[in-house]
Amino acid sequence: PLCQKRLTNVAIVRLKSHGKRFEIAAYKNKVLNWREGIEKDINEVLQVITVFTNVSKGDVANEKDLKKVFGSSDQEEICRKILKNGELQVSDREREVQLEGLFRDIVQIVVERCVHPQTGRQLTATAVDNALKTIGFSVKSDHAAKKQALQAIQSLCAEMPESFVRAKMRLRITCPEELFEEIRKHIVAEHFASIEEESRPGPAGGACTVTFVCDPSHYRELDRLCTVSHNG
């Protein structure tokens, strides 16, 4: 029938409104990329720019219902609304596999960004895995791994400070000699930096450099110091 379009191997995003159900057919793994701003081309996300009442049966939503619920019959505009606000439909097994994969990704990010406070050594994936389960960390299927990992790190450092601390970030600032002392004093006093190495120009002149480590939370302010306060 003309009102049917059959699609296979799709991820369905569903939105219920005004007592009616609307669905769109997306490519698997693309919906989260769209919502996180990673994917910006809607044609790479949706199999077809069409609003359905039932993707599995291929039933296309009629124009009257679209105008009543969305105030428009523009298919792409409505698809974007459903992509943003709809619920991604997955089977129990698919959800389980997705959550397991997300959890592994979160664990790996935590491993890369945390160390043991006493030894300064990187933690094992097993230790991080067990710690996250101990504090009751819950993985959310509709949030990116990096965002959840940062939340996990914050929770681990707060609840298990004897075992977790953010790894220090090593940075280097290059500046004119006349600004060197000012910048050096600032990063030590305001950002609790530990200076590792510094160099000043010889008789021929040149720039000064200072290499230091500090908490990653200071990065944005330090970047602003260099790019705004001192024009890089």
Side-chain angles (χ1 to χ4, degrees), residues 123-150:
L123 297 144
T124 65
T126 300
V128 173
D129 184 305
N130 292 335
L132 287 174
K133 291 174 180 175
T134 297
I135 66 172
F137 183 78
S138 179
V139 180
K140 298 177 181 177
S141 61
D142 58 345
H143 286 75
K146 182 178 179 180
K147 180 179 180 180
Q148 295 189 75
L150 294 177

PDB file of all heavy atoms in Angstrom, residues 123-150:
ATOM      1  N   LEU A 123      45.542   2.816  38.213  1.00  0.00           N
ATOM      2  CA  LEU A 123      44.725   1.747  38.771  1.00  0.00           C
ATOM      3  C   LEU A 123      44.365   0.730  37.691  1.00  0.00           C
ATOM      4  O   LEU A 123      44.326   1.058  36.504  1.00  0.00           O
ATOM      5  CB  LEU A 123      43.448   2.338  39.368  1.00  0.00           C
ATOM      6  CG  LEU A 123      43.701   3.286  40.547  1.00  0.00           C
ATOM      7  CD1 LEU A 123      42.722   4.431  40.522  1.00  0.00           C
ATOM      8  CD2 LEU A 123      43.613   2.540  41.857  1.00  0.00           C
ATOM      9  N   THR A 124      44.093  -0.492  38.105  1.00  0.00           N
ATOM     10  CA  THR A 124      43.714  -1.522  37.142  1.00  0.00           C
ATOM     11  C   THR A 124      42.229  -1.410  36.808  1.00  0.00           C
ATOM     12  O   THR A 124      41.437  -0.865  37.589  1.00  0.00           O
ATOM     13  CB  THR A 124      43.984  -2.929  37.701  1.00  0.00           C
ATOM     14  OG1 THR A 124      43.123  -3.156  38.834  1.00  0.00           O
ATOM     15  CG2 THR A 124      45.440  -3.068  38.127  1.00  0.00           C
ATOM     16  N   ALA A 125      41.862  -1.956  35.657  1.00  0.00           N
ATOM     17  CA  ALA A 125      40.455  -1.942  35.248  1.00  0.00           C
ATOM     18  C   ALA A 125      39.600  -2.719  36.245  1.00  0.00           C
ATOM     19  O   ALA A 125      38.464  -2.334  36.541  1.00  0.00           O
ATOM     20  CB  ALA A 125      40.321  -2.538  33.849  1.00  0.00           C
ATOM     21  N   THR A 126      40.154  -3.801  36.782  1.00  0.00           N
ATOM     22  CA  THR A 126      39.410  -4.607  37.758  1.00  0.00           C
ATOM     23  C   THR A 126      39.124  -3.810  39.022  1.00  0.00           C
ATOM     24  O   THR A 126      38.015  -3.858  39.569  1.00  0.00           O
ATOM     25  CB  THR A 126      40.211  -5.876  38.125  1.00  0.00           C
ATOM     26  OG1 THR A 126      40.438  -6.645  36.938  1.00  0.00           O
ATOM     27  CG2 THR A 126      39.447  -6.720  39.132  1.00  0.00           C
ATOM     28  N   ALA A 127      40.122  -3.047  39.479  1.00  0.00           N
ATOM     29  CA  ALA A 127      39.946  -2.237  40.687  1.00  0.00           C
ATOM     30  C   ALA A 127      38.882  -1.166  40.469  1.00  0.00           C
ATOM     31  O   ALA A 127      38.041  -0.914  41.339  1.00  0.00           O
ATOM     32  CB  ALA A 127      41.272  -1.595  41.081  1.00  0.00           C
ATOM     33  N   VAL A 128      38.905  -0.542  39.300  1.00  0.00           N
ATOM     34  CA  VAL A 128      37.919   0.496  38.986  1.00  0.00           C
ATOM     35  C   VAL A 128      36.529  -0.115  38.863  1.00  0.00           C
ATOM     36  O   VAL A 128      35.546   0.421  39.386  1.00  0.00           O
ATOM     37  CB  VAL A 128      38.298   1.227  37.680  1.00  0.00           C
ATOM     38  CG1 VAL A 128      37.185   2.189  37.264  1.00  0.00           C
ATOM     39  CG2 VAL A 128      39.606   1.989  37.856  1.00  0.00           C
ATOM     40  N   ASP A 129      36.452  -1.240  38.183  1.00  0.00           N
ATOM     41  CA  ASP A 129      35.179  -1.953  38.011  1.00  0.00           C
ATOM     42  C   ASP A 129      34.550  -2.254  39.371  1.00  0.00           C
ATOM     43  O   ASP A 129      33.372  -1.954  39.617  1.00  0.00           O
ATOM     44  CB  ASP A 129      35.446  -3.249  37.238  1.00  0.00           C
ATOM     45  CG  ASP A 129      34.172  -4.019  36.909  1.00  0.00           C
ATOM     46  OD1 ASP A 129      33.409  -4.330  37.845  1.00  0.00           O
ATOM     47  OD2 ASP A 129      33.945  -4.335  35.732  1.00  0.00           O
ATOM     48  N   ASN A 130      35.349  -2.827  40.269  1.00  0.00           N
ATOM     49  CA  ASN A 130      34.836  -3.189  41.597  1.00  0.00           C
ATOM     50  C   ASN A 130      34.434  -1.957  42.407  1.00  0.00           C
ATOM     51  O   ASN A 130      33.425  -1.970  43.120  1.00  0.00           O
ATOM     52  CB  ASN A 130      35.889  -3.990  42.364  1.00  0.00           C
ATOM     53  CG  ASN A 130      36.121  -5.367  41.759  1.00  0.00           C
ATOM     54  OD1 ASN A 130      35.243  -5.913  41.099  1.00  0.00           O
ATOM     55  ND2 ASN A 130      37.306  -5.924  41.969  1.00  0.00           N
ATOM     56  N   ALA A 131      35.224  -0.892  42.284  1.00  0.00           N
ATOM     57  CA  ALA A 131      34.935   0.328  43.042  1.00  0.00           C
ATOM     58  C   ALA A 131      33.623   0.968  42.580  1.00  0.00           C
ATOM     59  O   ALA A 131      32.825   1.427  43.399  1.00  0.00           O
ATOM     60  CB  ALA A 131      36.084   1.317  42.889  1.00  0.00           C
ATOM     61  N   LEU A 132      33.408   0.997  41.273  1.00  0.00           N
ATOM     62  CA  LEU A 132      32.169   1.577  40.747  1.00  0.00           C
ATOM     63  C   LEU A 132      30.952   0.788  41.223  1.00  0.00           C
ATOM     64  O   LEU A 132      29.913   1.365  41.557  1.00  0.00           O
ATOM     65  CB  LEU A 132      32.210   1.607  39.213  1.00  0.00           C
ATOM     66  CG  LEU A 132      33.143   2.648  38.586  1.00  0.00           C
ATOM     67  CD1 LEU A 132      33.212   2.468  37.077  1.00  0.00           C
ATOM     68  CD2 LEU A 132      32.677   4.061  38.923  1.00  0.00           C
ATOM     69  N   LYS A 133      31.093  -0.512  41.269  1.00  0.00           N
ATOM     70  CA  LYS A 133      29.988  -1.348  41.753  1.00  0.00           C
ATOM     71  C   LYS A 133      29.780  -1.149  43.253  1.00  0.00           C
ATOM     72  O   LYS A 133      28.647  -1.173  43.740  1.00  0.00           O
ATOM     73  CB  LYS A 133      30.266  -2.814  41.430  1.00  0.00           C
ATOM     74  CG  LYS A 133      30.192  -3.109  39.931  1.00  0.00           C
ATOM     75  CD  LYS A 133      30.621  -4.530  39.600  1.00  0.00           C
ATOM     76  CE  LYS A 133      30.533  -4.777  38.095  1.00  0.00           C
ATOM     77  NZ  LYS A 133      31.048  -6.113  37.703  1.00  0.00           N
ATOM     78  N   THR A 134      30.876  -0.927  43.977  1.00  0.00           N
ATOM     79  CA  THR A 134      30.784  -0.719  45.424  1.00  0.00           C
ATOM     80  C   THR A 134      30.013   0.548  45.764  1.00  0.00           C
ATOM     81  O   THR A 134      29.206   0.570  46.696  1.00  0.00           O
ATOM     82  CB  THR A 134      32.196  -0.641  46.047  1.00  0.00           C
ATOM     83  OG1 THR A 134      32.867  -1.895  45.841  1.00  0.00           O
ATOM     84  CG2 THR A 134      32.121  -0.348  47.543  1.00  0.00           C
ATOM     85  N   ILE A 135      30.252   1.615  44.999  1.00  0.00           N
ATOM     86  CA  ILE A 135      29.562   2.883  45.294  1.00  0.00           C
ATOM     87  C   ILE A 135      28.188   2.951  44.636  1.00  0.00           C
ATOM     88  O   ILE A 135      27.485   3.951  44.753  1.00  0.00           O
ATOM     89  CB  ILE A 135      30.411   4.104  44.862  1.00  0.00           C
ATOM     90  CG1 ILE A 135      30.564   4.160  43.336  1.00  0.00           C
ATOM     91  CG2 ILE A 135      31.763   4.093  45.556  1.00  0.00           C
ATOM     92  CD1 ILE A 135      31.223   5.438  42.839  1.00  0.00           C
ATOM     93  N   GLY A 136      27.820   1.885  43.920  1.00  0.00           N
ATOM     94  CA  GLY A 136      26.493   1.835  43.313  1.00  0.00           C
ATOM     95  C   GLY A 136      26.341   2.708  42.086  1.00  0.00           C
ATOM     96  O   GLY A 136      25.251   3.222  41.813  1.00  0.00           O
ATOM     97  N   PHE A 137      27.426   2.868  41.328  1.00  0.00           N
ATOM     98  CA  PHE A 137      27.361   3.702  40.122  1.00  0.00           C
ATOM     99  C   PHE A 137      26.454   3.053  39.086  1.00  0.00           C
ATOM    100  O   PHE A 137      26.557   1.863  38.802  1.00  0.00           O
ATOM    101  CB  PHE A 137      28.758   3.894  39.534  1.00  0.00           C
ATOM    102  CG  PHE A 137      28.785   4.792  38.328  1.00  0.00           C
ATOM    103  CD1 PHE A 137      28.716   6.165  38.468  1.00  0.00           C
ATOM    104  CD2 PHE A 137      28.863   4.253  37.055  1.00  0.00           C
ATOM    105  CE1 PHE A 137      28.734   6.997  37.358  1.00  0.00           C
ATOM    106  CE2 PHE A 137      28.882   5.077  35.941  1.00  0.00           C
ATOM    107  CZ  PHE A 137      28.817   6.444  36.095  1.00  0.00           C
ATOM    108  N   SER A 138      25.557   3.841  38.524  1.00  0.00           N
ATOM    109  CA  SER A 138      24.582   3.329  37.559  1.00  0.00           C
ATOM    110  C   SER A 138      24.831   3.925  36.178  1.00  0.00           C
ATOM    111  O   SER A 138      24.928   5.147  36.030  1.00  0.00           O
ATOM    112  CB  SER A 138      23.165   3.666  38.025  1.00  0.00           C
ATOM    113  OG  SER A 138      22.214   3.210  37.107  1.00  0.00           O
ATOM    114  N   VAL A 139      24.939   3.067  35.181  1.00  0.00           N
ATOM    115  CA  VAL A 139      25.181   3.508  33.807  1.00  0.00           C
ATOM    116  C   VAL A 139      23.862   3.920  33.156  1.00  0.00           C
ATOM    117  O   VAL A 139      22.847   3.249  33.310  1.00  0.00           O
ATOM    118  CB  VAL A 139      25.833   2.381  32.977  1.00  0.00           C
ATOM    119  CG1 VAL A 139      26.085   2.855  31.548  1.00  0.00           C
ATOM    120  CG2 VAL A 139      27.131   1.937  33.618  1.00  0.00           C
ATOM    121  N   LYS A 140      23.898   5.024  32.422  1.00  0.00           N
ATOM    122  CA  LYS A 140      22.714   5.515  31.717  1.00  0.00           C
ATOM    123  C   LYS A 140      22.916   5.324  30.217  1.00  0.00           C
ATOM    124  O   LYS A 140      23.899   5.802  29.656  1.00  0.00           O
ATOM    125  CB  LYS A 140      22.478   6.992  32.041  1.00  0.00           C
ATOM    126  CG  LYS A 140      22.211   7.243  33.519  1.00  0.00           C
ATOM    127  CD  LYS A 140      22.067   8.725  33.807  1.00  0.00           C
ATOM    128  CE  LYS A 140      21.836   8.972  35.295  1.00  0.00           C
ATOM    129  NZ  LYS A 140      21.753  10.421  35.611  1.00  0.00           N
ATOM    130  N   SER A 141      21.980   4.652  29.597  1.00  0.00           N
ATOM    131  CA  SER A 141      22.136   4.306  28.185  1.00  0.00           C
ATOM    132  C   SER A 141      22.068   5.505  27.253  1.00  0.00           C
ATOM    133  O   SER A 141      22.545   5.444  26.121  1.00  0.00           O
ATOM    134  CB  SER A 141      21.064   3.287  27.773  1.00  0.00           C
ATOM    135  OG  SER A 141      19.764   3.840  27.936  1.00  0.00           O
ATOM    136  N   ASP A 142      21.471   6.606  27.706  1.00  0.00           N
ATOM    137  CA  ASP A 142      21.297   7.766  26.825  1.00  0.00           C
ATOM    138  C   ASP A 142      22.318   8.868  27.075  1.00  0.00           C
ATOM    139  O   ASP A 142      22.131  10.009  26.654  1.00  0.00           O
ATOM    140  CB  ASP A 142      19.878   8.331  26.963  1.00  0.00           C
ATOM    141  CG  ASP A 142      19.540   8.731  28.392  1.00  0.00           C
ATOM    142  OD1 ASP A 142      20.274   8.326  29.317  1.00  0.00           O
ATOM    143  OD2 ASP A 142      18.537   9.443  28.589  1.00  0.00           O
ATOM    144  N   HIS A 143      23.416   8.540  27.777  1.00  0.00           N
ATOM    145  CA  HIS A 143      24.490   9.508  27.999  1.00  0.00           C
ATOM    146  C   HIS A 143      25.812   8.928  27.501  1.00  0.00           C
ATOM    147  O   HIS A 143      26.046   7.725  27.611  1.00  0.00           O
ATOM    148  CB  HIS A 143      24.622   9.860  29.483  1.00  0.00           C
ATOM    149  CG  HIS A 143      23.531  10.743  29.991  1.00  0.00           C
ATOM    150  ND1 HIS A 143      22.261  10.289  30.247  1.00  0.00           N
ATOM    151  CD2 HIS A 143      23.505  12.068  30.285  1.00  0.00           C
ATOM    152  CE1 HIS A 143      21.506  11.278  30.687  1.00  0.00           C
ATOM    153  NE2 HIS A 143      22.231  12.371  30.701  1.00  0.00           N
ATOM    154  N   ALA A 144      26.660   9.787  26.963  1.00  0.00           N
ATOM    155  CA  ALA A 144      27.946   9.342  26.424  1.00  0.00           C
ATOM    156  C   ALA A 144      28.863   8.841  27.535  1.00  0.00           C
ATOM    157  O   ALA A 144      28.773   9.269  28.685  1.00  0.00           O
ATOM    158  CB  ALA A 144      28.620  10.490  25.673  1.00  0.00           C
ATOM    159  N   ALA A 145      29.767   7.937  27.170  1.00  0.00           N
ATOM    160  CA  ALA A 145      30.675   7.328  28.145  1.00  0.00           C
ATOM    161  C   ALA A 145      31.553   8.379  28.832  1.00  0.00           C
ATOM    162  O   ALA A 145      31.766   8.324  30.047  1.00  0.00           O
ATOM    163  CB  ALA A 145      31.549   6.283  27.457  1.00  0.00           C
ATOM    164  N   LYS A 146      32.064   9.344  28.071  1.00  0.00           N
ATOM    165  CA  LYS A 146      32.968  10.343  28.651  1.00  0.00           C
ATOM    166  C   LYS A 146      32.274  11.163  29.729  1.00  0.00           C
ATOM    167  O   LYS A 146      32.832  11.395  30.808  1.00  0.00           O
ATOM    168  CB  LYS A 146      33.506  11.268  27.554  1.00  0.00           C
ATOM    169  CG  LYS A 146      34.492  12.298  28.082  1.00  0.00           C
ATOM    170  CD  LYS A 146      35.043  13.165  26.960  1.00  0.00           C
ATOM    171  CE  LYS A 146      36.010  14.211  27.509  1.00  0.00           C
ATOM    172  NZ  LYS A 146      36.559  15.070  26.428  1.00  0.00           N
ATOM    173  N   LYS A 147      31.058  11.589  29.442  1.00  0.00           N
ATOM    174  CA  LYS A 147      30.308  12.386  30.411  1.00  0.00           C
ATOM    175  C   LYS A 147      30.070  11.594  31.694  1.00  0.00           C
ATOM    176  O   LYS A 147      30.243  12.107  32.808  1.00  0.00           O
ATOM    177  CB  LYS A 147      28.971  12.811  29.798  1.00  0.00           C
ATOM    178  CG  LYS A 147      28.094  13.639  30.724  1.00  0.00           C
ATOM    179  CD  LYS A 147      26.803  14.038  30.026  1.00  0.00           C
ATOM    180  CE  LYS A 147      25.910  14.862  30.943  1.00  0.00           C
ATOM    181  NZ  LYS A 147      24.649  15.251  30.258  1.00  0.00           N
ATOM    182  N   GLN A 148      29.708  10.331  31.544  1.00  0.00           N
ATOM    183  CA  GLN A 148      29.452   9.493  32.718  1.00  0.00           C
ATOM    184  C   GLN A 148      30.744   9.162  33.458  1.00  0.00           C
ATOM    185  O   GLN A 148      30.757   9.046  34.682  1.00  0.00           O
ATOM    186  CB  GLN A 148      28.733   8.212  32.291  1.00  0.00           C
ATOM    187  CG  GLN A 148      27.347   8.464  31.728  1.00  0.00           C
ATOM    188  CD  GLN A 148      26.564   7.187  31.514  1.00  0.00           C
ATOM    189  OE1 GLN A 148      26.078   6.579  32.460  1.00  0.00           O
ATOM    190  NE2 GLN A 148      26.436   6.760  30.268  1.00  0.00           N
ATOM    191  N   ALA A 149      31.833   9.026  32.710  1.00  0.00           N
ATOM    192  CA  ALA A 149      33.122   8.730  33.342  1.00  0.00           C
ATOM    193  C   ALA A 149      33.562   9.884  34.238  1.00  0.00           C
ATOM    194  O   ALA A 149      34.092   9.668  35.333  1.00  0.00           O
ATOM    195  CB  ALA A 149      34.179   8.452  32.280  1.00  0.00           C
ATOM    196  N   LEU A 150      33.344  11.113  33.789  1.00  0.00           N
ATOM    197  CA  LEU A 150      33.709  12.274  34.600  1.00  0.00           C
ATOM    198  C   LEU A 150      32.884  12.317  35.886  1.00  0.00           C
ATOM    199  O   LEU A 150      33.389  12.670  36.955  1.00  0.00           O
ATOM    200  CB  LEU A 150      33.516  13.562  33.792  1.00  0.00           C
ATOM    201  CG  LEU A 150      34.448  13.728  32.585  1.00  0.00           C
ATOM    202  CD1 LEU A 150      34.107  14.995  31.815  1.00  0.00           C
ATOM    203  CD2 LEU A 150      35.909  13.754  33.026  1.00  0.00           C
TER     204      LEU A 150
END
